[in-house]
Amino acid sequence: MKIAVVGSGYVGLVAGACFAELGHDVVLVDNDQQKLNALQRGECPIHEKFLPELLERHRGQLLHFTDDLAAAARQSQLIFIAVGTPPKEDGDADLSYVESVAKDIAVAIDDYTIVVEKSTVPVYTNSWIRRIMLLNGAPAEMFDVASNPEFLREGSAVTDFLYPDRIVVGADSERCAAAVKEAYEPLVDGSYYNQPDAIPGRDLAPFRAHLIQTSAKSAELIKHASNAFLAMKISFVNAVASVCEAVGADVEQVCEGLGSDSRIGRRFLRPGIGYGGSCFPKDLLAFRAVARENGLQFGLLDEVVTVNDEQRNRFLRKVKKALWTLKGKKLAALGLAFKNGTDDIRESPAMAIVKALLREGCVITAFDPAAMERAAQEFPDGAVNFAAGPYEALRDADACLLLTEWEDFGALDLPRVKSLLRYPIVVDGRNLFSPEKMRAAGLNYYSIGRPDVTGGRNGLPGKALTEAFEEDQAA
Ligand code: UDX
């Protein structure tokens, strides 16, 4: 099929590259000339597994880049809109980019074309796009508008696209639904997975994608409801973690019991410093705004946001508890990205914590395997020092803070960590270690929803340390 994807952000770039991987002829449209040049030169502007391979495989063959939306629209059967929908001050999504793209498409097309919303948008966007296109002169019989929300996660976006839990196609006519479904046919009939050079994905052979056809409005709501539900799961477990701390229980044990109920499930029950990223915070606000506009108070969503914000403050209080005063303390911040596997720092709780600690007068040396370049742009005055690796960041620090769930941080060599730190203190916002392991390593360890490990001192091996401390206390 001939496909145009408008917007080459995370969603657009991944979708464009993956549609080319499925054998379609794709043109990726963006008005950022620098980005287009970089893509044409063979660069990959985001850190995303398998994306460089796909760009390399299809660039100049099935994947082209342009800033000419009108020409791209005219030559395409399907036009996916994947432009940004940032939040306005009241939380409502700003749809001005979507509107402007819809206007340009309306003026350009001269044959039956389907416009597909791929960006996360509030319900009714579909009908608005339709109205805008009619107002701009596109005849009603010359186009349809569909909703095909994208559920990909950053860090595993390519495999999420190619091995999806579900594909949702929201359309209000059979003709339109059939064309959008055709774009995904190799995933639904399973033929893609039989290709020898298919991107490896889930270990669930033989895999076939599950496609759900709905009305356009339902598809729009599925996306908002899914993200709100996942965010709710995270805030729920974070609130449970706070109760665990208050009563002296262990949230990881509670989660094992809780998540083993197949109706609840173990995934997205990881306590931490709260969710971040470009989707959850924005989508929660937008979903709440949709409810409000329709006269409904969805108070549960307010609480999800409140718990999430509070989680950062709780972590800061833990740092104070571990270090007493903060002014002048030298801290190693491991992790800046909003989660592992990405260089994205948008709405990152790790960045928010680093900024709060700078305001308290701390001296921060940070390390992140992927996000340092982006983070450095937020600290142009050199307020944060960046280290070449995690151990370099730890040297002579008063404490180590674990802020992003990178696998490498969970594999740190603990005796080395202890020997590098000025004080053996680790404050873990992602529960990457077991308290027992930290106690054995002689580290003081503060994590989320689990009892603190105290008693570690410099220069003494773990067990002896704890005993020495207990003896001190008894004395
Ligand atoms: C999310 C949705 O998962 C995806 O379906 C949607 O299309 C876009 O938004 P993403 O933003 O890439 O994807 O990140 P995700 O993996 O969902 O994590 C979001 C945040 O929640 C991260 O900050 C992560 O650290 C945090 N998180 C996730 C937790 O704190 N605990 C968990 O158990 C899971």
Side-chain angles (χ1 to χ4, degrees), residues 230-457:
L230 291 169
M232 179 184 75
K233 237 182 144 179
I234 298 171
S235 278
F236 182 84
V237 79
N238 281 332
V240 170
S242 301
V243 178
C244 288
E245 283 174 19
V247 303
D250 180 330
V251 72
E252 297 297 336
Q253 293 176 359
V254 172
C255 281
E256 199 187 331
L258 180 66
S260 299
D261 184 325
S262 58
R263 292 167 303 174
I264 297 173
R266 190 70 184 80
R267 292 172 73 192
F268 269 71
L269 276 187
R270 282 196 328 270
I273 48 177
Y275 59 79
S278 65
C279 288
F280 284 172
K282 167 174 81 76
D283 292 351
L284 264 267
L285 297 182
F287 196 26
R288 191 171 62 176
V290 166
R292 278 189 189 152
E293 271 163 31
N294 287 281
L296 300 161
Q297 288 303 321
F298 202 159
L300 184 58
L301 299 183
D302 295 329
E303 204 48 42
V304 170
V305 175
T306 304
V307 171
N308 198 57
D309 291 344
E310 178 56 15
Q311 216 50 22
R312 299 171 186 189
N313 297 331
R314 289 183 69 85
F315 184 81
L316 289 168
R317 289 202 289 274
K318 277 182 203 293
V319 179
K320 280 190 189 152
K321 184 173 160 192
L323 287 164
W324 189 18
T325 63
L326 292 181
K327 196 170 162 197
K329 291 277 160 67
K330 204 175 161 235
L331 302 175
L334 298 190
L336 295 164
F338 82 96
K339 65 168 191 177
N340 61 333
T342 178
D343 59 349
D344 197 345
I345 52 165
R346 285 176 290 174
E347 300 287 329
S348 166
M351 289 290 287
I353 286 166
V354 166
K355 286 178 184 169
L357 290 168
L358 286 174
R359 284 196 294 274
E360 294 274 358
C362 295
V363 179
I364 310 264
T365 303
F367 171 73
D368 187 286
M372 288 200 291
E373 209 176 301
R374 283 179 194 253
Q377 290 164 11
E378 295 230 352
F379 303 112
D381 48 355
V384 167
N385 307 309
F386 293 98
Y391 297 109
E392 284 83 344
L394 293 173
R395 193 176 302 282
D396 286 331
D398 293 310
C400 163
L401 313 182
L402 293 164
L403 301 178
T404 306
E405 63 272 45
W406 286 100
E407 288 81 359
D408 288 358
F409 296 161
L412 286 173
D413 175 26
L414 295 179
R416 194 165 166 204
V417 168
K418 182 159 188 270
S419 71
L420 286 166
L421 285 170
R422 191 184 325 201
Y423 298 109
I425 298 173
V426 176
V427 191
D428 183 355
R430 300 293 190 163
N431 285 4
L432 296 180
F433 292 95
S434 76
E436 297 70 36
K437 216 170 158 186
M438 299 306 258
R439 186 185 300 280
L443 288 154
N444 294 308
Y445 182 59
Y446 303 84
S447 57
I448 311 288
R450 299 182 297 181
D452 298 338
V453 174
T454 54
R457 277 192 243 168

